[in-house]
Amino acid sequence: MTEPVVLPDFNSFGDQALKGLESPEEATAATQALLKEDRNSGEPTVSNPGECHLTLERGVCREGTWYRDAEVKELTGADEEAIAAAGSSSYRVFETLLLRGVRTVGAEFMNRKLASELLIGDREFLVMAIRRATFGNDLEFEELPCPHCEELVDLTVPLDAIPFTHLDHPEQTEYDVPLRRGAVAVVRLPTGDDQAAVLAIKDGNAAKQDSEILGRCVLRVRDADGTVTRRPPATSLSMSDRKAILKFLADTQPGPRYGDFSFTHDTCGKEVPLPISLAVLFRGM
Ligand SMILES: [Zn+2]
């Protein structure tokens, strides 16, 4: 048994990092305690590993053609060592998972540049596929205390049960977001590259991180009178417009919503939030 790899919470990146002022901690303290206990409750059962092909929501564009087919592989001991060597930086661990676990997107072998071009949601979907190829489709939980009735619950969560957002039009790369006073922001969805830039802001200043993502993803603002401002500085946008845009980016980003999973406890009939973190996905490592 090797030392467990320290994996980051999903809260530190992905769609959770982009909710800006909306950023609610949906999970109750009880659920957090429940998850902490769960980390020690055993390794995942390998039910059906080896399923390696998936179709991304957006994929990558090469010379006018979109490529969405991707192939992942089962992680090996060598990959596990590489992931452990990535240290405690959440972004580096996630990046290493992608570089080691994804074989191809379209006709290209996985590489850093390709990974940085993918939408955050496609990256998180790929990580789910790597998990499936390595440990199978089911997340097993044992003796989770229900936060409502305190009964201990054994639970099997198929990865497909995690809420998933699809893109209505996968090839649409620009979106209009209505702002106040009849203005419209034209935006694009954040990619791995944008995520890296946000996470590079180390002082934990959430407003600065919001400005970074807005500075990158707001392509132009069209005022009610037709005036177009290209690449407006994020700090010049009103707080309410910033919030509207960040909410749009978070809501529209496709892929798995790891933080939004919940189940109904049969005994008490109540809904139990159970946010799925990377540590839960890969707790066998
Ligand atoms: Zn209950």
Side-chain angles (χ1 to χ4, degrees):
M1 183 78 191
T2 49
E3 281 296 296
V5 179
V6 179
L7 289 163
D9 281 340
F10 258 104
N11 289 344
S12 60
F13 56 102
D15 68 306
Q16 300 290 329
L18 300 176
K19 283 186 178 162
L21 294 172
E22 282 279 291
S23 174
E25 189 39 82
E26 306 245 315
T28 60
T31 310
Q32 293 294 353
L34 173 154
L35 274 174
K36 197 178 266 176
E37 284 193 32
D38 172 66
R39 300 229 163 107
N40 303 319
S41 81
E43 299 191 1
T45 310
V46 181
S47 53
N48 183 25
E51 198 187 312
C52 292
H53 293 270
L54 68 155
T55 304
L56 300 175
E57 284 290 311
R58 168 70 55 81
V60 288
C61 188
R62 295 292 180 260
E63 292 169 359
T65 303
W66 286 93
Y67 295 91
R68 289 198 187 82
D69 292 342
E71 186 183 355
V72 299
K73 70 177 192 69
E74 181 180 354
L75 296 175
T76 63
D79 300 322
E80 189 179 346
E81 284 184 15
I83 290 160
S88 58
S89 148
S90 60
Y91 185 78
R92 284 188 56 202
V93 169
F94 195 86
E95 193 74 0
T96 308
L97 263 174
L98 285 178
L99 292 173
R100 305 288 303 204
V102 180
R103 223 192 279 276
T104 54
V105 174
E108 275 171 79
F109 286 106
M110 194 52 163
N111 60 73
R112 255 173 225 289
K113 183 172 173 301
L114 178 57
S116 75
E117 281 179 66
L118 293 170
L119 288 186
I120 290 173
D122 275 343
R123 291 161 59 92
E124 296 191 347
F125 188 29
L126 283 164
V127 161
M128 176 182 277
I130 295 166
R131 198 282 175 193
R132 186 178 279 122
T134 305
F135 294 122
N137 192 52
D138 291 340
L139 297 169
E140 303 283 354
F141 297 88
E142 286 168 24
E143 302 194 337
L144 294 175
C146 172
H148 304 291
C149 69
E150 293 178 7
E151 189 180 86
L152 299 180
V153 187
D154 289 346
L155 189 70
T156 299
V157 179
L159 292 173
D160 328 72
I162 295 171
F164 195 100
T165 300
H166 295 282
L167 287 175
D168 291 336
H169 305 287
E171 292 175 17
Q172 179 183 352
T173 54
E174 295 187 1
Y175 302 83
D176 286 356
V177 183
L179 305 179
R180 295 215 297 185
R181 288 188 272 278
V184 170
V186 180
V187 304
R188 63 170 179 79
L189 296 180
T191 62
D193 197 30
D194 302 317
Q195 194 175 31
V198 169
L199 293 170
I201 298 170
K202 291 289 179 210
D203 62 6
N205 184 328
K208 260 196 216 170
Q209 293 181 333
D210 290 350
S211 294
E212 182 69 28
I213 210 79
L214 290 166
R216 292 171 150 262
C217 292
V218 178
L219 304 173
R220 52 195 179 274
V221 170
R222 198 169 54 237
D223 287 330
D225 67 2
T227 314
V228 174
T229 310
R230 298 196 175 274
R231 298 267 169 202
T235 46
S236 71
L237 298 167
S238 77
M239 278 181 71
S240 112
D241 286 347
R242 283 165 63 100
K243 190 172 166 179
I245 297 166
L246 289 166
K247 183 174 184 325
F248 177 89
L249 295 178
D251 290 350
T252 310
Q253 182 72 238
R257 294 288 197 248
Y258 293 105
D260 292 346
F261 180 75
S262 65
F263 67 95
T264 306
H265 182 208
D266 291 343
T267 308
C268 67
K270 293 203 171 132
E271 198 69 6
V272 180
L274 182 60
I276 307 295
S277 68
L278 254 191
V280 168
L281 282 184
F282 288 95
R283 69 189 158 182
M285 290 181 68

